[in-house]
C-alpha cells in the first residue's frame, strides 16, 4: 500500500516534466470567418527578405513550399488572385536560462585551461496567419513555441515539425466543387 502513493507521485512528476517540455501550439479561427468560400491561397511576400543571407533565402523558400504543401493537401489551390493570403513569421530570442558569458574562476591560474562554450538555446515562435484577401482581415491564426540551437542545421526541420502541428489543428478544407 505504501508503494501506491510513491508510484503515483513518480508518474505525476514524469507527466509534469514531459508536459512542460512539449511545445505549445495555439490556433484561433475568427468566429465570423466563412471557410466554405475559401478555395485558394497565396503566400505573402516576406518583408526585408533582401537583407537575408543566401541561407536565409533558402530557408524562407523551403518554408513557403512546405506551408503550400500543407494547404494543397487540404484541397486549396495556389493562385495569385487567391481568396486567402498566408503570412508567417519566425521570431527568435535567447533563452533565459542560457549563459551568454562564461566565467571561470580558475582560468587566471591555469593558463592552458580552455573552455568551449555550449551552443546556446534559442527560444522561437512560428506564427501563421490566414488573411481574407477581400477584407484584409485575419480569419485564422496558428502559432507554436519551439527551441532552436544556435549551431544547428536541424532548425528548419524543427520549424517544419511545428508547422505540421499547427496545421493538424486547422480543421478546414477547400470544397473543390466550385
Amino acid at each position: 500500500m505504501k508503494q501506491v502513493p510513491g508510484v503515483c507521485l513518480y508518474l505525476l512528476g514524469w507527466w509534469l516534466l514531459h508536459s512542460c517540455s512539449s511545445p505549445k501550439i495555439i490556433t484561433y479561427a475568427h468566429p465570423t470567418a466563412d471557410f466554405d468560400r475559401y478555395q485558394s491561397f497565396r503566400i505573402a511576400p516576406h518583408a526585408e527578405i533582401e537583407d537575408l543571407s543566401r541561407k536565409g533565402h533558402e530557408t524562407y523558400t523551403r518554408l513557403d513550399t512546405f506551408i503550400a504543401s500543407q494547404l494543397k493537401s487540404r484541397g486549396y489551390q495556389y493562385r495569385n488572385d487567391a481568396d486567402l493570403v498566408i503570412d508567417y513569421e519566425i521570431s527568435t530570442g535567447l533563452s533565459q536560462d542560457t549563459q551568454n558569458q562564461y566565467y571561470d574562476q580558475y582560468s587566471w591560474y591555469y593558463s592552458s585551461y580552455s573552455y568551449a562554450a555550449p551552443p546556446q538555446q534559442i527560444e522561437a515562435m512560428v506564427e501563421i496567419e490566414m488573411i481574407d484577401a477581400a477584407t484584409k482581415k485575419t480569419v485564422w491564426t496558428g502559432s507554436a513555441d519551439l527551441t532552436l540551437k544556435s549551431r544547428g542545421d536541424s532548425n528548419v526541420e524543427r520549424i517544419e515539425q511545428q508547422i505540421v502541428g499547427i496545421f493538424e489543428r486547422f480543421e478546414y478544407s477547400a470544397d473543390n466543387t466550385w
Side-chain angles (χ1 to χ4, degrees):
M1 219 34 157
K2 290 183 181 182
Q3 286 185 331
V4 172
V7 169
C8 290
L9 188 60
Y10 170 78
L11 290 174
L12 177 64
W14 182 84
W15 177 79
L16 285 173
L17 179 67
H18 289 287
S19 66
C20 294
S21 64
S22 63
K24 185 176 183 180
I25 297 175
I26 300 171
T27 60
Y28 174 75
H30 196 280
T32 62
D34 182 12
F35 283 93
D36 290 336
R37 63 184 201 92
Y38 301 127
Q39 303 296 317
S40 59
F41 73 96
R42 68 179 168 84
I43 307 288
H46 304 287
E48 302 174 13
I49 196 167
E50 60 275 351
D51 295 335
L52 295 176
S53 66
R54 181 184 57 80
K55 187 172 182 176
H57 281 279
E58 290 171 0
T59 299
Y60 272 101
T61 300
R62 179 173 168 175
L63 292 176
D64 286 356
T65 303
F66 192 77
I67 290 171
S69 72
Q70 293 292 310
L71 287 162
K72 287 178 182 178
S73 72
R74 288 160 177 78
Y76 293 92
Q77 296 177 345
Y78 190 93
R79 295 176 44 177
N80 288 330
D81 60 339
D83 305 321
L84 290 170
V85 177
I86 311 303
D87 193 11
Y88 69 93
E89 181 178 344
I90 300 161
S91 307
T92 61
L94 287 177
S95 173
Q96 295 293 335
D97 60 355
T98 301
Q99 294 179 348
N100 292 328
Q101 183 178 6
Y102 176 74
Y103 171 73
D104 182 8
Q105 61 181 340
Y106 300 109
S107 62
W108 61 271
Y109 185 77
Y110 299 106
S111 60
S112 63
Y113 182 78
S114 65
Y115 175 78
Q120 292 182 330
Q121 299 267 340
I122 300 171
E123 297 298 322
M125 181 184 81
V126 59
E127 180 181 27
I128 301 170
E129 285 185 312
M130 293 185 184
I131 302 162
D132 184 305
T135 65
K136 309 288 189 251
K137 293 185 179 183
T138 301
V139 294
W140 188 86
T141 302
S143 67
D145 297 330
L146 66 151
T147 303
L148 303 174
K149 295 185 179 183
S150 62
R151 295 181 233 148
D153 291 333
S154 64
N155 286 336
V156 177
E157 288 88 4
R158 290 172 194 221
I159 294 169
E160 287 174 341
Q161 288 173 353
Q162 297 312 311
I163 290 170
V164 167
I166 290 169
F167 276 103
E168 284 174 349
R169 290 164 175 79
F170 181 69
E171 33 189 80
Y172 308 98
S173 61
D175 179 21
N176 290 322
T177 60
W178 51 291

